[in-house]
């Protein structure tokens, strides 16, 4: 099944209608997975092998502004105010995504994306990027889509975008259907105002191996990958239970172990995939050392060298002593 088939299932007819307005705009937060999405059952539709669970990062994310272009034979894409050449992977992914929704072949948009996070540094910029693009298209065309369907549409751009339609904790159900109509995000009804994330930047250089490529290589070559779905199934149950009873130690431990297990599958791939820099490992050891002395501090790591620390609000001061450069995000204390 192709992406365009899914779009036609969702919209039936009606995709040939011109938008009622000239512009559309939306913000979506990025999200950090506590139980990771790693591996696809369908690479075309970004359907995952397993379910996953994330926390959205409030004001850290992407704003996408769309404007109709009346005098250009192509789209114009900007990122943080700079025009991106249309042959660059970033622009290609966006124009290919817009192809799914063009009412006429010769119909083009200006897409201005502004990120409050570094691009391609393992901070899920594609998650907030595609979620905000799907929301901005919904605004431009006045589709009145449900969040569930927007989550499905965002997934067609990038898997992790499925979870970026909501604030707070979000679960992405893997689903079993070949068309992915049962593979969407759902917010959990858990508010945890004391829950903090600390972004620990080790490097903001663009990564050499994309998550997309890394996932595929892991599935193709890692002898550990066969155990990954079992690990996720167990971790998801414990994570949801820990959220229900607000057991932070349990949550932190499972999230950290889940991230390390994901990286173990990558390290056992061939050619190996290693997103650790020396500073990443150094920071991990520091976390383990201070945790050994009684501080409730855990980390998670995505497809990049940066760590995301997890701790409770009461410990901000103590964590800052050890990691003075981290940026603290309180996902439930909304800034706007
Ligand atoms: C996650 N990551 O759950 C995992 C953990 C990175 C490590 O989802 O190919 O950019 O666009 O579906 O969503 C990053 O992968 O990949 C990711 P595509 P995506 O957050």
């Amino acid at each position: 099944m192709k992406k365009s088939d899914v779009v036609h299932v969702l919209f039936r007819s009606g995709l040939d209608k011109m938008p009622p307005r000239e512009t559309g705009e939306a913000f979506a937060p990025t999200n950090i997975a506590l139980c990771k999405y790693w591996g696809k059952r369908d690479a075309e539709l970004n359907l995952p092998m397993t379910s996953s669970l994330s926390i959205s990062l409030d004001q850290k994310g992407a704003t996408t502004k769309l404007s109709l272009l009346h005098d250009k034979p192509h789209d114009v894409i900007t990122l943080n105010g700079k025009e991106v050449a249309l042959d660059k992977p970033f622009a290609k992914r966006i124009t290919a995504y817009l192809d799914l929704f063009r009412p006429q072949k010769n119909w083009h948009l200006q897409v201005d994306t502004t990120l409050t996070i570094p691009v391609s540094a393992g901070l899920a910029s594609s998650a907030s990027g595609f979620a905000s693009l799907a929301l901005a298209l919904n605004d431009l065309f006045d589709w009145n889509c449900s969040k569930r369907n927007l989550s499905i549409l965002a997934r067609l751009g990038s898997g992790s975008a499925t979870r970026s339609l909501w604030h707070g904790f979000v679960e992405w159900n893997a689903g079993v259907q070949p068309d992915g109509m049962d593979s969407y995000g759902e917010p959990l009804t858990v508010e945890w105002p004391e829950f903090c994330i600390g972004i620990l930047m080790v490097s903001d250089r663009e990564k050499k191996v994309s998550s997309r490529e890394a996932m595929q290589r892991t599935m193709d070559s890692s002898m550990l990958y066969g155990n990954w779905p079992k690990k996720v199934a167990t971790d998801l149950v414990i994570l949801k239970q820990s959220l229900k009873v607000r057991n932070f130690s349990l949550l932190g431990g499972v999230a950290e172990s889940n991230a390390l297990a994901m990286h173990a599958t990558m390290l056992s791939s061939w050619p190996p995939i290693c997103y650790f820099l020396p500073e990443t490992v150094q920071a991990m050891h520091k976390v383990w050392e201070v945790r050994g002395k009684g501080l409730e501090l855990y980390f998670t790591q995505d497809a990049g060298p940066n760590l995301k620390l997890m701790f409770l609000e009461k410990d901000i001061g103590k964590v800052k002593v050890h990691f003075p450069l981290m940026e603290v995000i309180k996902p439930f204390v909304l800034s706007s």
Side-chain angles (χ1 to χ4, degrees), residues 108-129:
H108 300 286
L109 283 177
Q110 169 139 356
V111 182
D112 300 310
T113 305
T114 317
L115 294 169
T116 48
I117 41 174
V119 190
S120 297
L123 280 169
S125 51
S126 70
S128 53

Side-chain angles (χ1 to χ4, degrees), residues 54-72:
S54 62
I55 175 83
S56 290
L57 291 193
D58 180 27
Q59 83 280 16
K60 290 277 174 201
T63 298
T64 297
K65 288 184 188 171
L66 303 174
S67 327
L68 297 190
L69 289 174
H70 297 288
D71 54 353
K72 285 251 161 56

Side-chain angles (χ1 to χ4, degrees), residues 93-318:
R93 276 180 79 178
I94 291 180
T95 53
Y97 190 74
L98 294 179
D99 287 347
L100 297 169
F101 309 103
R102 296 185 205 279
Q104 289 171 356
K105 220 164 175 245
N106 200 20
W107 180 93
H108 300 286
L109 283 177
Q110 169 139 356
V111 182
D112 300 310
T113 305
T114 317
L115 294 169
T116 48
I117 41 174
V119 190
S120 297
L123 280 169
S125 51
S126 70
S128 53
F130 277 103
S132 65
L133 179 55
L135 283 162
L137 285 164
N138 183 57
D139 183 38
L140 176 73
F141 282 101
D142 221 359
W143 286 331
N144 277 312
C145 266
S146 64
K147 282 262 190 111
R148 176 179 291 191
N149 285 348
L150 285 170
S151 169
I152 290 173
L153 288 175
R155 167 169 53 72
L156 300 179
S158 181
S160 48
T162 315
R163 302 182 305 236
S164 268
L165 273 290
W166 296 270
H167 283 281
F169 295 103
V170 178
E171 183 174 7
W172 173 12
N173 310 296
V176 293
Q177 287 175 213
D179 64 3
M181 286 305 163
D182 56 352
S183 185
Y184 47 78
E186 275 187 305
L188 303 184
T189 53
V190 178
E191 293 270 323
W192 200 342
E194 298 83 14
F195 187 91
C196 294
I197 296 273
I199 308 279
L200 199 63
M201 290 298 289
V202 164
S203 163
D204 63 359
R205 261 176 299 158
E206 221 166 297
K207 58 196 176 200
K208 289 195 188 101
V209 187
S210 70
S211 323
R212 192 161 282 195
E213 191 186 332
M215 271 187 218
Q216 190 60 51
R217 197 189 301 169
T218 307
M219 287 187 74
D220 291 344
S221 65
S222 166
M223 45 88 83
L224 298 184
Y225 189 76
N227 276 323
W228 174 247
K230 286 179 244 170
K231 169 77 177 150
V232 169
T234 313
D235 287 355
L236 268 179
V237 172
I238 306 175
L239 279 173
K240 283 196 271 185
Q241 182 58 22
S242 71
L243 285 174
K244 212 183 253 175
V245 299
R246 304 284 194 282
N247 184 333
F248 181 72
S249 315
L250 189 61
L251 177 128
V254 171
E256 186 175 304
S257 150
N258 185 274
L260 288 169
M262 175 186 73
H263 283 280
T265 68
M266 291 188 228
L267 290 169
S268 59
S269 301
W270 198 261
I273 304 154
C274 179
Y275 286 115
F276 300 170
L277 288 177
E279 295 87 340
T280 315
V281 180
Q282 220 169 13
M284 285 177 180
H285 280 279
K286 207 169 186 186
V287 169
W288 293 326
E289 191 192 315
V290 296
R291 195 159 76 223
K293 290 180 184 155
L295 186 60
E296 284 290 313
L297 175 65
Y298 300 85
F299 67 81
T300 184
Q301 183 191 355
D302 294 297
N306 304 307
L307 293 188
K308 291 92 185 187
L309 305 179
M310 291 168 278
F311 47 91
L312 292 175
E313 195 175 16
K314 67 179 174 57
D315 291 326
I316 289 180
K318 288 183 199 154

